[in-house]
Amino acid sequence: MRSIHCLTMLAMLLPIGLGGAPTLFANELAGPNVIVIFCDDLGYGDLGCFGHPTIGTPHLDQMAAEGQKWTEFYVAASVCTPSRAALQTGRYPIRNGMCSMKRRVLFPDSTGGLPPQEITLGRMLKQRGYATHAVGKWHLGHLPKYLPTQHGYDSYFGIPYSNDMDFVKGSSKQRFEDPKSKNFNVPLMQDNKIIERPADQTTITKRFTERACDLIRQHKNDQPFFIYLAHNLPHVPLFRSPDFENASRRGLYGDVIEEIDWSVGQVLNTLRETGLDKNTLVVFTSDNGPWKSFKQQGGSAGLLRDGKGSTWEGGMREPTVFWWPGTIEPGVVMEMGSTLDLLPTLGNLAGAAVPADRTLDGLDLSPTLLENKPSPRDQMIYYHGDEIFAVRKGMYKAHFKTKTSYQGQRQAAVHDPPLLFHLGHDPGEQYDIAKQHPDVIEGLRQLKTKHEASVEPVENQLTRKN
Ligand code: MG
């Protein structure tokens, strides 16, 4: 613990920037290795340790028992691109133009991406002397200037956007029910080069896992490493390797989750085998809630309302586990945290310089992780595109607008006065209590106004045409 605090003080003396920051050498570092495992469209209720009755996730269940299971952990957007921008930068995506009402994510014909001046997890840790590797889905711009290798990562191996994009025209509407890799012409990339197209999606979870385990072994005896392992699944179309065909009582969707669980087991076992488990922080979470439009092909948010694309809890709360044996206090944390918080938290733990020249929305969760202290986070702003739909402070959440799942309701419903829910008494957001608490609503309105005043206009990256 003491070494971490000393490193943090040292880091405060170090400037951070795009080119000029000093790099420390490996033997000067005492920070942990870090692995962030990030799923795509995994629901709050899709893991055994979060209550799913027919999907078997023994490795994640064990990880949760040995680590901290967070029950109120949020993403900053309910769809892929803005959620990933928030995780990488610790900033609401409104601050770097990575969210929009018109085009909610980046597409293969998009020309924008995460602006080069943004400081990602990779860049922050690289400047601290870490080896940094991105594996899997990126979705923050597929053009060369936006790829992970331009954003602080030493290497990249993965699919640069969603696995349902580039679908082959004329391929059957059944493409999601009986998916075939050939119907989705998505590229698999090594650094900035396409090495396979269409990517064989039946083996992507396996290959991403092997890549992550190879990197762990490769760095066993040299510098600390950061691996961002972002699975393309369980986003539709669903694929799993032959070993997991018909493995799960939950059907195809369960097979996919059980292969991801196997992957987690491989990563943790590799850390144990290399003796790095006591010096590695592993975080498991996902980018947004289940894609309910696809019915049984989509996941479950458990008792939470709605899913991907909405600002109801099911769209934005994710099953999250932190694991660092011997250092993290095991337990269940029923407090708020967010992917926004990873940048300052990992920065502090690694002794890296957290960017101080821009607005950060993330908070340092390390007191909760290391000492079981209350989480510093007591509020969340819920964006739908570039507009605030809801605000939470403490146990109360006000919805100013609502729109059910991704492709359901066409127009957002406007609520004035807003709907109000107590997420402790009513985590499923069933019982509006606005009439009883006008004072609470006023406080939440003020919080919304204050946040809006902190946002400066920037070029939108999702709708730009050049
Ligand atoms: Mg997603």
Side-chain angles (χ1 to χ4, degrees):
M1 192 84 68
R2 184 169 296 161
S3 64
I4 288 168
H5 291 159
C6 290
L7 281 167
T8 307
M9 289 178 66
L10 171 63
M12 290 167 68
L13 303 173
L14 300 173
I16 191 165
L18 292 179
T23 296
L24 296 181
F25 293 101
N27 58 8
E28 296 177 68
L29 285 167
N33 305 306
V34 177
I35 302 175
V36 173
I37 303 174
F38 202 48
C39 295
D40 195 356
D41 297 2
L42 179 72
Y44 184 81
D46 280 330
L47 307 181
C49 50
F50 278 79
H52 201 284
T54 58
I55 300 177
T57 54
H59 299 290
L60 278 156
D61 299 351
Q62 186 180 347
M63 180 184 177
E66 293 173 2
Q68 280 184 4
K69 179 173 96 166
W70 284 59
T71 62
E72 299 185 37
F73 200 85
Y74 288 97
V75 288
S78 63
V79 290
C80 299
T81 296
S83 174
R84 285 152 201 272
L87 173 136
Q88 286 289 340
T89 64
R91 287 147 59 79
Y92 281 109
I94 192 79
R95 301 197 193 280
N96 42 39
M98 292 296 281
C99 57
S100 159
M101 294 293 261
K102 291 189 188 125
R103 296 195 107 189
R104 295 193 62 194
V105 299
L106 291 165
F107 290 90
D109 65 350
S110 296
T111 56
L114 188 67
Q117 66 271 24
E118 288 298 314
I119 294 171
T120 62
L121 293 174
R123 177 165 289 138
M124 177 184 72
L125 293 171
K126 186 175 174 62
Q127 287 181 339
R128 177 63 177 146
Y130 277 59
T132 55
H133 301 281
V135 181
K137 179 171 173 176
W138 181 239
H139 215 179
L140 295 174
H142 67 284
L143 298 178
K145 61 182 171 182
Y146 300 121
L147 287 170
T149 47
Q150 302 304 306
H151 268 298
Y153 290 88
D154 296 333
S155 77
Y156 176 52
F157 176 71
I159 294 173
Y161 35 75
S162 296
N163 65 328
D164 65 334
M165 293 180 170
D166 280 329
F167 64 83
V168 176
K169 286 200 173 63
S171 62
S172 153
K173 284 213 161 175
Q174 302 297 311
R175 60 181 181 263
F176 293 113
E177 281 155 36
D178 181 22
K180 304 275 187 287
S181 289
K182 67 179 171 59
N183 290 337
F184 302 89
N185 196 31
V186 293
L188 179 70
M189 304 190 76
Q190 175 75 58
D191 300 325
N192 291 4
K193 272 198 194 144
I194 295 174
I195 56 169
E196 185 178 303
R197 189 169 198 169
D200 175 2
Q201 295 201 41
T202 63
T203 55
I204 49 173
T205 298
K206 195 160 187 271
R207 286 189 282 173
F208 293 166
T209 305
E210 286 164 356
R211 169 79 180 154
C213 293
D214 285 348
L215 289 167
I216 294 169
R217 290 189 200 98
Q218 193 180 312
H219 291 299
K220 181 187 167 192
N221 295 317
D222 60 16
Q223 68 207 113
F225 58 80
F226 168 53
I227 300 171
Y228 173 55
L229 172 54
H231 290 292
N232 274 89
L233 295 161
H235 190 293
V236 296
L238 300 174
F239 293 98
R240 75 292 204 219
S241 63
D243 287 350
F244 287 87
E245 283 178 14
N246 305 315
S248 174
R249 287 191 290 164
R250 170 63 173 81
L252 175 56
Y253 185 85
D255 291 351
V256 172
I257 305 303
E258 293 187 14
E259 185 161 24
I260 289 172
D261 180 69
W262 164 85
S263 170
V264 170
Q266 293 292 300
V267 169
L268 300 190
N269 282 337
T270 304
L271 292 171
R272 292 183 185 108
E273 284 161 20
T274 49
L276 296 176
D277 53 325
K278 298 286 194 298
N279 193 31
T280 304
L281 167 64
V282 183
V283 185
F284 179 94
T285 189
S286 180
D287 68 335
N288 53 253
W291 204 348
K292 294 170 74 80
S293 320
F294 289 91
K295 300 177 181 169
Q296 283 164 291
Q297 310 277 342
S300 165
L303 86 172
L304 303 180
R305 185 162 171 177
D306 217 289
K308 175 176 180 171
S310 92
T311 44
W312 296 103
E313 290 293 291
M316 307 204 44
R317 207 192 284 196
E318 289 299 325
T320 301
V321 178
F322 288 79
W323 182 89
W324 183 1
T327 299
I328 278 186
E329 291 285 334
V332 177
V333 177
M334 292 189 192
E335 305 213 22
M336 264 187 269
S338 169
T339 48
L340 289 164
D341 303 329
L342 292 183
L343 184 114
T345 303
L346 300 181
N348 182 34
L349 293 172
V354 174
D357 62 346
R358 60 199 68 200
T359 302
L360 275 191
D361 298 296
L363 299 165
D364 179 8
L365 301 180
S366 58
T368 314
L369 296 172
L370 305 180
E371 302 165 62
N372 263 350
K373 290 190 172 166
S375 170
R377 176 167 292 283
D378 71 344
Q379 64 186 54
M380 273 307 291
I381 309 291
Y382 299 68
Y383 272 93
H384 179 101
D386 52 12
E387 197 178 330
I388 296 171
F389 270 28
V391 172
R392 174 180 177 179
K393 186 166 175 60
M395 280 295 160
Y396 289 102
K397 176 180 176 185
H399 291 267
F400 299 90
K401 288 188 176 182
T402 52
K403 191 167 181 297
T404 54
S405 73
Y406 205 62
Q407 293 165 330
Q409 184 186 335
R410 290 188 73 80
Q411 294 289 331
V414 180
H415 305 287
D416 190 13
L419 307 176
L420 184 72
F421 298 97
H422 186 289
L423 293 177
H425 301 166
D426 180 19
E429 297 174 286
Q430 299 294 310
Y431 311 109
D432 177 19
I433 51 172
K435 282 199 181 112
Q436 296 94 306
H437 298 284
D439 51 330
V440 172
I441 288 177
E442 185 48 35
L444 290 166
R445 271 192 209 282
Q446 285 174 14
L447 184 59
K448 178 172 179 276
T449 305
K450 189 176 166 202
H451 176 84
E452 282 165 340
S454 78
V455 174
E456 292 172 14
V458 293
E459 182 180 21
N460 193 285
Q461 297 293 326
L462 275 54
T463 57
R464 62 183 279 186
K465 294 276 197 286
N466 54 21

